[in-house]
Amino acid sequence: MTTTDKGTDRGTVNRRRPWAIEFYGSAVGKKWVMAITGIIFLGYVFVHMLGNLKLYLGTDPTGIFAIDHYGEWLRELLEPFLPREGALWIFRVVLTASVVLHIHAAYSLTVTNWKARPTRYQSPREYLVASYASRTMRWSGVIVGAFVAFHLLDLTIGTANPDFVAGDVHANLIASFSRPGVAIFYMVANLLLGLHIFHGTWSLFQSIGWNNPQFNEWRRWLAWAFTAVIVIANVSFPLTVLTGLVK
Amino acid sequence: MNITLRVWRQDTPDAPGRFVEYDAPDIESHASFLEMLDVVNERLTDKGEEPIAFDSDCREGICGMCGLMINGLAHGPQQGTATCQLHMRKFKDGDVITIEPWRAAGFPIIRDLVVDRSSFDRIIEAGGYITVPTGSAPDANLILVPKPAADAAMDAAACIGCGACVASCPNGAAQLFVAAKVANLNLLPQGQPERWTRVEAMVDEMEKYFGSCTNHGECEAACPKRISIDFIAMMNKDYIKAKFKNRRMAGQGS
Ligand code: HEM
Ligand code: SF4
Ligand code: FES
């Protein structure tokens, strides 16, 4: 067979780099990784939201807060198959790896995109369909990332929460959200998270190539519904604590 | 009608360039946008000034040579229409119309409103072909094509390679063009032998010049042929599969 540098024989040329690196080296591959890690985040955000709804269940007959119970359950999950906190650590490792990949891909593709238009349009541009959400993905992403870091320091590690007591989930939440500045920051960050996942939930289907005329219409609705559920629930937590509805 | 143009003038690829204002009185509202530019250019020539350089060829929306950023929109305000098919009646008397060239690293400006789109040719060379037997002509209908596949391939084949997708994309990505060119062959039985090498080669070539798609959908809205971004999803899927398939082929030597 003849060998040209491109075209027919490309696939038969032994590549120098391992395929995972080769794959991630392409922009389309990076977008695929962003979409897969995005799905992991969406799943996480959803489960996290469901878990936190227990804030509204109050105490059980023994006087233990439902959300503290849930926190304890998370630590015991899959015990004794896994050691205590084993499942939790698996989640943490997967999420951390996803965050690293998602942010690296976002950064690297953003640089690519800036290079692709070194001179901007010199007259005002109009957009026909690009949404506010799609055009602010980088901002909403970075701010949500900063928020996640604060959130971990506040309610997981406790360094940003003077009244933090490990395992006292309910008390920690109340202590944190009773500070108006923090409560407002949580609400704003969750609105931005909403913007990010509104575009992301629709966009990921495109990046992975799950496109089928039969469910394309449904993808927009899915994005709306998913975003609405997450944002309404997540914003309600600081709001209800701040206004004293939950004590 | 009387209009005012603000046109990007740039003498050489590296010259700084600037907007220059031209009064264009007495323009026929039935004139196409390019005919309007022709009139302006004739007047400029009469005055001994350098006419505005712009690209065009067929002037019937099928060749893809024309393409201007008109008031911040690729191919102007009328959707599904190439610049040559846009008519002055879409504008109002007294309008100020701003005209800029496509801007993308993959489309360097040659002069005024003319850009070099040969990066698109490089992408086509990378995989936009099929292999055919060169013997005597095969029987008609020897290769049967399912109707839905034929229709979808035809929709993709409508792409005229104008570059409005790149021009309108906030990321300067060429996904819609490449997806159309990949799909138009990958959907048909004749395109199957090179299906996986084609998509990999064309996407890799594309990425040498253009940005990365974030699914804004601006390209689809700007495309004079209304190529659907569904083809981009199709290309992404084929590319990801190709990364595995081509790898496996590599293992078999040859
Ligand atoms: C740490 C900060 C983050 C940054 C810097 C970031 C950045 C980005 C960027 C730039 C995109 C690409 C935009 C596009 O292609 O339309 C994106 C896509 C996405 N992000 Fe994030 N993001 C972050 C966190 C998150 C979080 C917390 C979630 C989920 C809850 C998330 C979910 C998604 C999804 C689902 C997509 C769509 C993927 C695709 O289109 O293929 N991201 N992100
Ligand atoms: S996809 Fe549409 S906008 Fe892009 S080059 Fe083809 S015809 Fe032009
Ligand atoms: S000049 Fe041929 S498409 Fe406009």
Side-chain angles (χ1 to χ4, degrees):
Chain A
M1 250 184 159
T2 53
T3 327
T4 53
D5 69 329
K6 290 170 205 83
T8 335
D9 289 326
R10 259 184 99 86
T12 65
V13 173
N14 270 319
R15 293 175 184 286
R16 274 168 290 127
R17 297 185 295 174
W19 83 263
I21 296 177
E22 184 75 31
F23 179 67
Y24 188 72
S26 78
V28 172
K30 284 198 186 69
K31 274 307 301 256
W32 186 85
V33 170
M34 290 198 80
I36 298 296
T37 52
I39 292 174
I40 293 172
F41 295 152
L42 293 180
Y44 166 73
V45 166
F46 187 70
V47 172
H48 182 275
M49 185 266 314
L50 282 184
N52 287 350
L53 280 175
K54 288 170 194 59
L55 180 62
Y56 299 135
L57 291 185
T59 52
D60 66 7
T62 58
I64 300 176
F65 283 110
I67 195 163
D68 292 0
H69 221 108
Y70 161 69
E72 183 53 29
W73 173 80
L74 270 183
R75 291 179 182 79
E76 290 165 1
L77 190 62
L78 291 185
E79 230 181 322
F81 177 65
L82 292 176
R84 187 178 156 78
E85 297 206 344
L88 203 54
W89 275 102
I90 292 174
F91 292 144
R92 286 173 181 166
V93 168
V94 170
L95 282 169
T96 309
S98 303
V99 166
V100 170
L101 285 171
H102 195 84
I103 295 182
H104 180 265
Y107 167 78
S108 147
L109 293 178
T110 302
V111 171
T112 306
N113 291 346
W114 284 344
K115 284 195 192 137
R117 182 166 290 130
T119 314
R120 292 162 149 262
Y121 282 103
Q122 304 294 302
S123 58
R125 273 221 55 183
E126 291 235 16
Y127 294 103
L128 292 167
V129 290
S131 64
Y132 184 75
S134 76
R135 284 186 283 124
T136 51
M137 285 303 268
R138 286 155 200 154
W139 287 111
S140 57
V142 166
I143 297 171
V144 168
F147 161 72
V148 169
F150 173 78
H151 179 49
L152 290 175
L153 292 176
D154 180 24
L155 291 170
T156 305
I157 305 168
T159 18
N161 191 347
D163 304 313
F164 184 80
V165 181
D168 261 355
V169 186
H170 188 92
N172 292 338
L173 273 172
I174 305 287
S176 180
F177 294 162
S178 299
R179 299 170 292 179
V182 173
I184 290 170
F185 178 48
Y186 266 85
M187 292 189 262
V188 171
N190 272 289
L191 290 173
L192 289 167
L193 173 68
L195 268 184
H196 198 82
I197 61 179
F198 173 65
H199 181 65
T201 305
W202 178 86
S203 165
L204 68 90
F205 287 90
Q206 198 72 5
S207 305
I208 298 180
W210 288 333
N211 183 301
N212 184 322
Q214 286 180 349
F215 66 63
N216 280 347
E217 190 61 18
W218 181 83
R219 283 162 53 196
R220 265 279 163 246
W221 288 109
L222 177 76
W224 271 115
F226 191 80
T227 306
V229 169
I230 298 287
V231 170
I232 292 172
N234 279 0
V235 167
S236 80
F237 303 130
L239 196 65
T240 47
V241 172
L242 190 63
T243 53
L245 288 172
V246 171
K247 292 198 189 73
Chain B
M1 56 198 286
N2 302 314
I3 51 170
T4 308
L5 298 181
R6 276 180 74 230
V7 185
W8 185 260
R9 302 299 309 258
Q10 179 172 335
D11 298 331
T12 63
D14 305 316
R18 73 246 166 245
F19 280 110
V20 179
E21 247 183 56
Y22 297 101
D23 281 327
D26 300 324
I27 297 294
E28 177 62 54
S29 68
H30 295 309
S32 76
F33 200 82
L34 300 185
E35 283 162 346
M36 179 275 292
L37 286 178
D38 289 338
V39 171
V40 172
N41 273 347
E42 272 168 34
R43 293 176 187 167
L44 283 177
T45 315
D46 287 345
K47 280 196 283 181
E49 287 180 38
E50 191 66 34
I52 303 160
F54 65 92
D55 256 332
S56 80
D57 192 3
C58 71
R59 299 211 173 188
E60 54 181 14
I62 55 167
C63 76
M65 271 312 273
C66 64
L68 302 171
M69 207 71 184
I70 303 169
N71 288 342
L73 290 170
H75 288 304
Q78 188 180 355
Q79 283 185 253
T81 311
T83 302
C84 59
Q85 298 287 87
L86 174 67
H87 289 86
M88 294 311 294
R89 53 181 170 272
K90 294 285 159 193
F91 298 90
K92 287 193 307 291
D93 194 43
D95 272 0
V96 179
I97 303 174
T98 305
I99 313 175
E100 245 192 288
W102 288 169
R103 289 197 189 271
F107 291 163
I109 296 177
I110 300 174
R111 184 185 186 103
D112 295 345
L113 305 173
V114 179
V115 298
D116 178 357
R117 281 168 289 190
S118 48
S119 46
F120 271 14
D121 300 336
R122 302 290 91 75
I123 295 170
I124 296 295
E125 282 165 14
Y129 53 82
I130 58 168
T131 40
V132 290
T134 51
S136 55
D139 284 345
N141 295 332
L142 197 60
I143 302 172
L144 300 179
V145 183
K147 175 77 166 122
D151 287 349
M154 196 61 208
D155 287 346
C159 167
I160 56 178
C162 62
C165 39
V166 175
S168 63
C169 176
N171 303 315
Q175 244 79 1
L176 195 61
F177 165 76
V178 181
K181 296 302 177 193
V182 166
N184 129 39
L185 300 175
N186 276 14
L187 279 164
L188 294 174
Q190 290 88 340
Q192 296 312 302
E194 297 90 3
R195 177 170 184 172
W196 309 110
T197 46
R198 168 180 306 113
V199 66
E200 193 179 5
M202 289 178 76
V203 169
D204 288 350
E205 189 67 18
M206 165 183 86
E207 290 183 354
K208 289 184 189 164
Y209 308 96
F210 296 102
S212 158
C213 178
T214 61
N215 306 316
H216 288 291
E218 272 307 292
C219 51
E220 183 184 73
C223 175
K225 298 297 152 188
R226 299 180 188 274
I227 305 286
S228 164
I229 55 172
D230 292 354
F231 289 118
I232 298 181
M234 205 182 279
M235 174 178 81
N236 289 341
K237 187 156 74 186
D238 269 10
Y239 184 79
I240 291 153
K241 274 197 202 161
K243 281 287 178 196
F244 293 89
K245 287 190 190 277
N246 292 348
R247 176 88 193 160
R248 214 177 302 144
M249 282 191 245
Q252 291 161 358
S254 88

